[in-house]
Amino acid sequence: MNIVKIEKLVKRFDETVAVDRVSLEIREGEIYGLLGPNGAGKSTLINVMCGLLKKNEGSVHIFDKNIDFSMMEIKQDLGIVPQEIALYEDLTAKENVKFFASLYGLKGSVLKEKTAEALEFVGLIDHANKLARTFSGGMKRRLNIACAIAHQPKLIIMDEPTVGIDPQSRNHILNSVKKLNQLGTTVIYTTHYMEEAEFLCSRIGIIDYGKLIAEGTNQELQNLVTDRKTIVVKTSIGKTYDLRELSEIKGVLDANVKDSTVIIETLRETDAVGDIVRFFEKNELPILDIQMKNANLETIFLSLTGRKLRQ
Ligand code: ADP
Ligand code: MG
C-alpha cells in the first residue's frame, strides 16, 4: 500500500514557486529522505502534506485518503516533528508529551503508559519531571520527537530534526529513527545533510528549487552519475597547501579537505590520478592511503544541479 501519494503538487508564495509540480509515492515501511539545500522547498512540501499550508494545485493522499477531505482522520495516525521546535517551555517533559498525546485522544492509564514509553524511547525518562525550559537544544529536539510519537503514528514526518544540536543528541535521534522504522513506522525525513540521508533512508528524493529532480535508492542515484569518480587521499595533518592547484588538474571537478583526508571529485573518463599523486609529491605530503569511490550524494547533487548541496 502507498502510505503517501502526491500528484503534481504546486505551492506558491507570491512569485516564489516553493513546490513545483512534485509527484511522489511513499510505501509502507520506508524511510523516505527528502534531500535538498536550504530553500529547496522541503518544509513547504511537508507543511502542505500536514495541512498546515494550503496548496495551489495537485493532490495529496495519505493512507489512501485525500487531505482535502479527510485531514482530521489522517492526523490520528500521523506524527509531525516540525523544523521549529514546538514545546511548552513552562511544562515538564512529561507534561508536554501528555499534552500532545491527549490531543490524539489518549486518556488515563494508556496516556500515562504511552507518555513514559515515548520519553524512554528518546532517552529522556530520567528528565521527565524537568521543565522543558531547562533543556539543551538537543534535549528539546528529542522531547519534540517524544511528543510526536506517543500516540504511535503509522507515519512520522520529521523536518530537519538534527539541525543545530550536539553530536550526541544527533546520534541518538538518528538511531531512534532507525528503531522506530524497525518497529513498523513509515518515516519521511527531510535533511540537507547527505550523510544522514545515506545512513537512514531506503529511498531518497532530491529536491531543488521546488522540483523533485531525482529519486531512488542510494544505488539507483549513484547510477545516474556513472561519469564521476571520487578519489579519497589520506595524508598527514599539519601541513598547509593550496587546494586550488588540485582543482586546476584536468578532469578534477572539485577538491575538499576534511581533517587529514582530501576528497577529490573527478571525471571518470579523464584519468587524473597521476597528476593528483604528483601534486602530493610536489607538496611533500605523504599519501597514507588512496581510494577510488563511486559518486556519493554530494557528487550526485553537484552533477545534477552544478552546485554544492551546502552552498
Ligand atoms: P527548505 O525547507 O527546503 O529550506 P522552504 O520550504 O522553507 O525550504 O522554502 C522554500 C521557498 O519558499 C524558499 O524560497 C522560501 O523563501 C519560500 N518560503 C517559505 N515559506 C514562505 C512563506 N511563508 N512566505 C513566503 N515565502 C516562503
Ligand atoms: Mg525547511
Side-chain angles (χ1 to χ4, degrees), residues 52-122:
L52 296 169
L53 281 173
K54 280 221 177 323
K55 62 185 157 62
N56 294 102
E57 294 168 30
S59 67
V60 180
H61 285 80
I62 301 180
F63 314 130
D64 282 330
K65 294 176 187 127
N66 191 326
I67 62 162
D68 290 346
F69 312 118
S70 311
M71 201 64 224
M72 289 307 285
E73 220 177 307
I74 291 167
K75 275 196 175 158
Q76 284 299 317
D77 292 315
L78 195 58
I80 305 162
V81 183
Q83 187 170 337
E84 302 301 328
I85 292 174
L87 292 171
Y88 291 97
E89 298 271 323
D90 292 321
L91 294 184
T92 65
K94 190 159 82 184
E95 287 163 348
N96 265 288
V97 178
K98 268 191 166 170
F99 172 76
F100 284 100
S102 66
L103 297 181
Y104 293 98
L106 266 55
K107 286 198 273 282
S109 60
V110 176
L111 177 63
K112 213 169 151 187
E113 192 182 307
K114 296 297 168 198
T115 297
E117 264 180 43
L119 285 167
E120 174 79 52
F121 194 82
V122 299

Coordinates of all heavy atoms in Angstrom, one line a residue, residues 52-122:
L52 N -0.9 22.2 7.2 CA -0.5 23.4 7.8 C -0.5 24.6 6.8 O -0.6 25.7 7.2 CB 0.8 23.3 8.5 CG 0.9 22.3 9.7 CD1 2.3 22.1 10.1 CD2 0.1 22.8 10.8
L53 N -0.3 24.2 5.5 CA -0.4 25.2 4.5 C -1.3 24.7 3.4 O -1.4 23.5 3.2 CB 1.0 25.4 3.8 CG 2.1 26.2 4.5 CD1 3.4 26.0 3.8 CD2 1.7 27.6 4.6
K54 N -2.0 25.7 2.7 CA -2.9 25.3 1.6 C -2.1 25.2 0.3 O -1.3 26.1 0.0 CB -4.0 26.3 1.5 CG -5.1 26.2 2.5 CD -6.5 26.4 1.9 CE -7.7 26.2 2.8 NZ -7.6 25.1 3.7
K55 N -2.4 24.1 -0.4 CA -1.7 24.0 -1.7 C -2.4 24.9 -2.8 O -3.6 25.3 -2.6 CB -1.7 22.6 -2.2 CG -3.1 21.9 -2.4 CD -2.9 20.5 -2.6 CE -4.2 19.7 -2.3 NZ -5.4 20.1 -3.1
N56 N -1.7 25.1 -3.9 CA -2.4 25.8 -5.0 C -2.9 24.8 -6.0 O -4.0 25.0 -6.6 CB -1.4 26.7 -5.7 CG -1.0 27.9 -4.8 OD1 0.1 27.9 -4.2 ND2 -1.9 28.8 -4.6
E57 N -2.1 23.7 -6.3 CA -2.6 22.8 -7.3 C -2.1 21.4 -6.9 O -1.3 21.2 -6.0 CB -1.9 23.0 -8.7 CG -2.4 24.3 -9.3 CD -1.5 24.7 -10.5 OE1 -0.9 23.7 -11.2 OE2 -1.3 25.9 -10.8
G58 N -2.7 20.4 -7.5 CA -2.3 19.0 -7.3 C -3.1 18.3 -6.2 O -4.0 18.9 -5.6
S59 N -2.7 17.1 -5.9 CA -3.4 16.4 -4.8 C -2.4 15.6 -3.9 O -1.3 15.3 -4.3 CB -4.4 15.4 -5.4 OG -3.7 14.4 -6.1
V60 N -2.8 15.4 -2.7 CA -2.1 14.6 -1.7 C -3.0 13.6 -1.1 O -4.1 14.0 -0.6 CB -1.5 15.5 -0.6 CG1 -0.7 14.6 0.4 CG2 -0.6 16.6 -1.1
H61 N -2.6 12.3 -1.1 CA -3.4 11.3 -0.4 C -2.4 10.7 0.6 O -1.3 10.4 0.3 CB -3.8 10.2 -1.4 CG -5.0 10.5 -2.2 ND1 -4.8 11.3 -3.4 CD2 -6.3 10.3 -2.1 CE1 -6.0 11.5 -3.9 NE2 -6.9 10.9 -3.1
I62 N -2.9 10.5 1.8 CA -2.2 9.9 2.9 C -3.1 8.7 3.4 O -4.2 9.0 3.7 CB -1.8 10.8 4.0 CG1 -0.9 12.0 3.5 CG2 -1.0 10.1 5.1 CD1 -0.5 13.1 4.5
F63 N -2.5 7.6 3.5 CA -3.3 6.3 3.9 C -4.5 6.2 2.9 O -5.6 5.8 3.4 CB -3.8 6.4 5.3 CG -2.8 6.8 6.3 CD1 -3.1 7.8 7.3 CD2 -1.5 6.3 6.4 CE1 -2.1 8.3 8.2 CE2 -0.6 6.7 7.3 CZ -0.9 7.7 8.2
D64 N -4.3 6.5 1.6 CA -5.3 6.4 0.6 C -6.5 7.4 0.9 O -7.6 7.2 0.3 CB -5.9 5.0 0.5 CG -4.9 4.1 -0.3 OD1 -4.2 4.6 -1.2 OD2 -4.9 2.9 0.0
K65 N -6.3 8.4 1.7 CA -7.3 9.4 2.0 C -6.8 10.8 1.5 O -5.7 11.1 1.7 CB -7.6 9.5 3.5 CG -8.3 8.2 4.0 CD -8.5 8.3 5.5 CE -8.9 6.9 6.0 NZ -8.1 6.4 7.1
N66 N -7.8 11.5 0.9 CA -7.4 12.8 0.3 C -7.3 13.8 1.5 O -8.2 14.0 2.3 CB -8.6 13.2 -0.6 CG -8.2 14.4 -1.4 OD1 -7.5 15.3 -0.9 ND2 -8.6 14.5 -2.7
I67 N -6.2 14.6 1.5 CA -6.0 15.5 2.6 C -7.1 16.6 2.6 O -7.3 17.3 3.6 CB -4.6 16.1 2.7 CG1 -4.3 16.9 1.4 CG2 -3.5 15.1 3.0 CD1 -3.1 17.9 1.7
D68 N -7.6 16.9 1.4 CA -8.7 18.0 1.3 C -9.9 17.6 2.1 O -10.6 18.5 2.5 CB -9.0 18.2 -0.2 CG -7.9 18.8 -0.9 OD1 -6.9 19.3 -0.3 OD2 -7.9 18.8 -2.2
F69 N -10.2 16.3 2.2 CA -11.5 15.9 2.8 C -11.3 15.2 4.1 O -12.2 15.1 4.9 CB -12.3 15.1 1.8 CG -12.3 15.7 0.5 CD1 -11.8 15.0 -0.6 CD2 -12.9 16.9 0.3 CE1 -11.8 15.6 -1.9 CE2 -13.0 17.5 -1.0 CZ -12.4 16.8 -2.1
S70 N -10.1 14.6 4.4 CA -10.0 13.7 5.5 C -8.9 14.0 6.4 O -8.3 13.1 7.1 CB -9.9 12.2 5.0 OG -10.8 11.9 4.0
M71 N -8.5 15.2 6.5 CA -7.3 15.6 7.3 C -7.4 15.2 8.8 O -6.5 14.7 9.4 CB -7.0 17.1 7.2 CG -5.6 17.4 7.5 SD -4.4 16.7 6.3 CE -3.1 16.1 7.4
M72 N -8.6 15.4 9.3 CA -8.8 15.0 10.7 C -8.5 13.6 11.0 O -7.9 13.2 12.0 CB -10.2 15.4 11.2 CG -10.5 16.9 11.3 SD -9.3 17.7 12.4 CE -9.9 17.2 14.0
E73 N -9.1 12.8 10.1 CA -8.9 11.3 10.2 C -7.5 10.9 10.0 O -6.9 10.1 10.8 CB -9.8 10.7 9.1 CG -10.5 9.4 9.4 CD -11.3 9.0 8.2 OE1 -12.1 9.9 7.7 OE2 -11.2 7.9 7.8
I74 N -6.8 11.5 9.0 CA -5.4 11.2 8.7 C -4.5 11.5 9.9 O -3.7 10.8 10.3 CB -4.9 12.0 7.5 CG1 -5.6 11.5 6.2 CG2 -3.4 11.9 7.3 CD1 -5.5 12.4 5.0
K75 N -4.8 12.7 10.6 CA -4.0 13.1 11.6 C -3.9 12.2 12.8 O -2.9 12.1 13.5 CB -4.5 14.5 12.1 CG -3.9 15.6 11.3 CD -4.1 17.0 12.0 CE -3.4 18.1 11.1 NZ -3.9 19.4 11.4
Q76 N -4.9 11.4 13.0 CA -4.9 10.4 14.1 C -3.7 9.4 14.0 O -3.1 9.0 15.0 CB -6.2 9.5 14.0 CG -7.4 10.2 14.5 CD -7.2 10.6 16.0 OE1 -6.7 9.9 16.8 NE2 -7.6 11.8 16.3
D77 N -3.2 9.2 12.7 CA -2.1 8.2 12.5 C -0.9 8.9 12.0 O 0.0 8.2 11.5 CB -2.6 7.1 11.5 CG -3.6 6.2 12.1 OD1 -3.5 5.8 13.2 OD2 -4.7 6.0 11.4
L78 N -0.8 10.2 12.2 CA 0.3 11.0 11.7 C 1.1 11.6 12.9 O 0.5 12.1 13.8 CB -0.3 12.1 10.8 CG 0.6 12.9 9.9 CD1 1.3 11.9 8.9 CD2 -0.2 13.9 9.1
G79 N 2.4 11.5 12.8 CA 3.2 12.2 13.8 C 4.1 13.3 13.1 O 4.6 13.0 12.0
I80 N 4.1 14.5 13.6 CA 4.8 15.5 13.0 C 5.9 16.1 13.9 O 5.6 16.6 15.0 CB 3.9 16.6 12.5 CG1 2.7 16.0 11.7 CG2 4.6 17.7 11.7 CD1 1.5 17.0 11.6
V81 N 7.1 16.2 13.4 CA 8.2 16.9 14.1 C 8.6 18.1 13.3 O 9.3 17.9 12.3 CB 9.4 15.9 14.4 CG1 10.5 16.7 15.2 CG2 9.0 14.7 15.1
P82 N 8.1 19.2 13.6 CA 8.3 20.4 12.7 C 9.7 20.9 12.8 O 10.5 20.6 13.8 CB 7.3 21.5 13.3 CG 7.1 21.1 14.7 CD 7.3 19.6 14.8
Q83 N 10.1 21.7 11.8 CA 11.5 22.2 11.8 C 11.7 23.1 13.0 O 12.8 23.1 13.7 CB 11.7 23.0 10.5 CG 13.2 23.5 10.3 CD 13.4 24.0 8.9 OE1 12.8 23.7 8.0 NE2 14.5 24.8 8.8
E84 N 10.7 24.0 13.4 CA 10.8 24.8 14.5 C 10.3 24.0 15.7 O 9.2 23.5 15.7 CB 10.0 26.1 14.4 CG 10.3 26.9 13.2 CD 11.8 27.4 13.2 OE1 12.3 27.6 14.3 OE2 12.4 27.5 12.1
I85 N 11.1 23.9 16.8 CA 10.7 23.2 18.0 C 9.4 23.8 18.6 O 9.3 25.0 18.7 CB 11.8 23.2 19.0 CG1 13.0 22.4 18.5 CG2 11.3 22.7 20.4 CD1 14.2 22.4 19.4
A86 N 8.4 22.9 18.8 CA 7.2 23.4 19.4 C 6.9 22.7 20.7 O 6.5 21.6 20.7 CB 6.0 23.1 18.4
L87 N 7.2 23.4 21.8 CA 7.0 22.9 23.1 C 6.5 23.9 24.0 O 6.7 25.1 23.8 CB 8.4 22.4 23.7 CG 9.1 21.2 23.0 CD1 10.5 21.1 23.6 CD2 8.3 19.9 23.3
Y88 N 5.9 23.5 25.1 CA 5.6 24.4 26.2 C 6.7 24.5 27.2 O 7.0 23.6 27.9 CB 4.3 24.0 26.9 CG 3.1 24.2 25.9 CD1 2.6 23.2 25.2 CD2 2.6 25.5 25.7 CE1 1.6 23.3 24.3 CE2 1.6 25.7 24.8 CZ 1.1 24.6 24.1 OH 0.1 24.8 23.2
E89 N 7.5 25.6 27.2 CA 8.7 25.8 28.0 C 8.4 25.6 29.5 O 9.3 25.2 30.2 CB 9.3 27.2 27.7 CG 9.7 27.4 26.2 CD 11.1 26.9 26.0 OE1 12.0 27.1 26.9 OE2 11.4 26.4 24.9
D90 N 7.2 26.0 29.9 CA 6.9 26.0 31.4 C 6.2 24.8 31.8 O 5.8 24.7 32.9 CB 6.1 27.3 31.7 CG 7.0 28.5 31.6 OD1 8.2 28.4 32.0 OD2 6.5 29.6 31.1
L91 N 6.2 23.8 30.9 CA 5.7 22.5 31.3 C 6.9 21.5 31.4 O 7.9 21.8 30.8 CB 4.7 21.9 30.3 CG 3.3 22.7 30.1 CD1 2.5 21.9 29.2 CD2 2.6 22.8 31.5
T92 N 6.7 20.5 32.2 CA 7.8 19.5 32.3 C 7.8 18.7 31.0 O 6.8 18.7 30.2 CB 7.6 18.5 33.5 OG1 6.4 17.8 33.2 CG2 7.5 19.3 34.8
A93 N 8.8 17.9 30.8 CA 8.9 17.0 29.7 C 7.7 16.1 29.6 O 7.0 15.9 28.6 CB 10.2 16.1 29.7
K94 N 7.4 15.5 30.8 CA 6.2 14.6 30.8 C 4.9 15.3 30.5 O 4.1 14.8 29.7 CB 6.1 14.0 32.3 CG 5.2 12.9 32.4 CD 5.5 12.0 33.6 CE 4.9 12.6 34.9 NZ 5.3 11.8 36.1
E95 N 4.7 16.5 31.0 CA 3.5 17.2 30.8 C 3.4 17.6 29.3 O 2.3 17.6 28.7 CB 3.5 18.5 31.6 CG 3.2 18.2 33.1 CD 3.5 19.4 34.0 OE1 4.2 20.3 33.6 OE2 3.1 19.3 35.2
N96 N 4.5 17.9 28.7 CA 4.5 18.2 27.2 C 4.0 17.0 26.4 O 3.1 17.1 25.6 CB 5.9 18.6 26.8 CG 6.1 20.1 26.8 OD1 5.5 20.9 25.9 ND2 6.9 20.6 27.7
V97 N 4.6 15.9 26.7 CA 4.2 14.7 25.9 C 2.8 14.3 26.2 O 2.0 14.0 25.3 CB 5.1 13.5 26.3 CG1 4.7 12.2 25.5 CG2 6.6 13.8 26.0
K98 N 2.4 14.4 27.5 CA 1.0 14.1 27.8 C 0.0 15.0 27.1 O -1.0 14.6 26.6 CB 0.7 14.3 29.3 CG 0.9 13.1 30.1 CD 0.5 13.3 31.5 CE 0.3 12.0 32.3 NZ 0.1 12.1 33.7
F99 N 0.4 16.3 27.0 CA -0.5 17.3 26.4 C -0.7 16.9 24.9 O -1.8 16.8 24.4 CB 0.1 18.7 26.5 CG -0.7 19.7 25.6 CD1 -1.9 20.2 26.0 CD2 -0.2 20.1 24.4 CE1 -2.6 21.1 25.3 CE2 -0.9 21.0 23.6 CZ -2.1 21.5 24.0
F100 N 0.4 16.7 24.2 CA 0.3 16.4 22.8 C -0.4 15.1 22.5 O -1.2 14.9 21.6 CB 1.7 16.4 22.1 CG 2.2 17.9 21.9 CD1 3.1 18.4 22.7 CD2 1.7 18.6 20.8 CE1 3.5 19.7 22.6 CE2 2.1 20.0 20.7 CZ 3.0 20.5 21.5
A101 N -0.1 14.1 23.4 CA -0.7 12.8 23.2 C -2.2 12.8 23.4 O -3.0 12.1 22.8 CB 0.0 11.7 24.1
S102 N -2.6 13.7 24.4 CA -4.0 13.8 24.7 C -4.8 14.4 23.6 O -6.0 14.1 23.4 CB -4.2 14.6 26.0 OG -3.8 15.9 25.8
L103 N -4.1 15.2 22.7 CA -4.8 15.8 21.6 C -5.2 14.6 20.6 O -6.1 14.8 19.8 CB -3.9 16.7 20.8 CG -3.4 18.0 21.5 CD1 -2.5 18.8 20.6 CD2 -4.6 18.8 22.0
Y104 N -4.5 13.5 20.7 CA -4.9 12.4 19.8 C -5.9 11.4 20.5 O -6.1 10.3 20.1 CB -3.6 11.6 19.4 CG -2.7 12.4 18.5 CD1 -1.6 13.1 19.1 CD2 -3.0 12.5 17.2 CE1 -0.8 13.9 18.2 CE2 -2.2 13.3 16.3 CZ -1.1 13.9 16.9 OH -0.3 14.7 16.1
G105 N -6.4 11.9 21.7 CA -7.4 11.1 22.3 C -6.9 10.1 23.3 O -7.7 9.3 23.9
L106 N -5.6 10.1 23.6 CA -5.1 9.2 24.6 C -5.6 9.7 26.0 O -5.5 10.9 26.3 CB -3.6 9.1 24.6 CG -3.0 7.9 23.8 CD1 -3.5 7.9 22.4 CD2 -1.5 8.0 23.8
K107 N -6.0 8.7 26.9 CA -6.5 9.1 28.2 C -6.0 8.1 29.3 O -5.6 7.0 29.0 CB -8.0 9.0 28.2 CG -8.7 10.2 27.5 CD -10.2 10.3 27.8 CE -11.1 9.4 27.0 NZ -11.5 9.9 25.7
G108 N -6.1 8.5 30.5 CA -6.0 7.7 31.7 C -4.7 6.9 31.7 O -3.6 7.4 31.4
S109 N -4.8 5.6 32.0 CA -3.6 4.8 32.2 C -2.8 4.6 30.9 O -1.6 4.5 30.8 CB -4.0 3.4 32.8 OG -4.8 2.8 31.9
V110 N -3.6 4.6 29.8 CA -2.9 4.4 28.5 C -2.1 5.6 28.2 O -0.9 5.5 27.7 CB -4.0 4.2 27.3 CG1 -3.3 4.2 25.9 CG2 -4.8 3.0 27.6
L111 N -2.6 6.8 28.5 CA -1.9 8.1 28.3 C -0.6 8.1 29.1 O 0.5 8.4 28.6 CB -2.8 9.2 28.7 CG -2.1 10.6 28.6 CD1 -1.7 11.0 27.2 CD2 -3.1 11.7 29.1
K112 N -0.7 7.6 30.3 CA 0.4 7.6 31.2 C 1.5 6.6 30.7 O 2.7 7.0 30.6 CB 0.0 7.1 32.6 CG 0.7 7.7 33.8 CD 0.0 7.4 35.1 CE 1.0 7.4 36.2 NZ 0.5 6.9 37.4
E113 N 1.1 5.5 30.3 CA 2.0 4.4 29.8 C 2.7 4.9 28.5 O 3.9 4.8 28.4 CB 1.1 3.2 29.5 CG 1.8 1.9 29.3 CD 0.7 0.8 28.9 OE1 -0.2 0.7 29.7 OE2 0.9 0.2 27.9
K114 N 1.9 5.4 27.6 CA 2.5 5.8 26.3 C 3.4 7.0 26.4 O 4.4 7.1 25.7 CB 1.4 6.2 25.3 CG 0.5 5.0 24.9 CD 1.3 3.9 24.2 CE 0.4 2.6 24.1 NZ 1.3 1.4 23.8
T115 N 3.1 7.9 27.4 CA 4.0 9.0 27.7 C 5.3 8.5 28.2 O 6.4 9.0 27.7 CB 3.3 10.0 28.7 OG1 2.1 10.5 28.2 CG2 4.3 11.1 29.1
A116 N 5.3 7.6 29.1 CA 6.6 7.1 29.6 C 7.3 6.4 28.5 O 8.6 6.5 28.4 CB 6.2 6.1 30.8
E117 N 6.6 5.6 27.7 CA 7.3 4.9 26.6 C 8.0 5.8 25.7 O 9.1 5.6 25.3 CB 6.2 4.1 25.8 CG 6.1 2.6 26.2 CD 5.0 2.0 25.4 OE1 5.0 2.2 24.2 OE2 4.2 1.2 26.0
A118 N 7.3 6.9 25.3 CA 7.9 7.9 24.4 C 9.1 8.5 25.0 O 10.1 8.7 24.3 CB 6.8 8.9 24.0
L119 N 9.0 8.9 26.3 CA 10.2 9.5 26.9 C 11.4 8.6 27.0 O 12.5 8.9 26.8 CB 9.8 10.1 28.3 CG 8.9 11.3 28.3 CD1 8.3 11.6 29.6 CD2 9.8 12.5 27.8
E120 N 11.1 7.3 27.3 CA 12.1 6.3 27.4 C 12.7 6.1 26.0 O 14.0 6.1 25.9 CB 11.4 5.0 27.8 CG 12.2 3.7 27.8 CD 13.1 3.6 29.0 OE1 12.6 3.7 30.1 OE2 14.3 3.5 28.8
F121 N 11.9 6.2 25.0 CA 12.4 5.9 23.6 C 13.4 7.0 23.2 O 14.4 6.7 22.6 CB 11.2 5.9 22.7 CG 11.6 5.4 21.3 CD1 11.6 4.0 21.1 CD2 11.9 6.3 20.3 CE1 11.9 3.5 19.8 CE2 12.2 5.8 19.0 CZ 12.2 4.4 18.8
V122 N 13.2 8.2 23.6 CA 14.1 9.3 23.2 C 15.2 9.5 24.2 O 16.0 10.5 24.1 CB 13.4 10.6 22.9 CG1 12.4 10.5 21.7 CG2 12.7 11.2 24.1

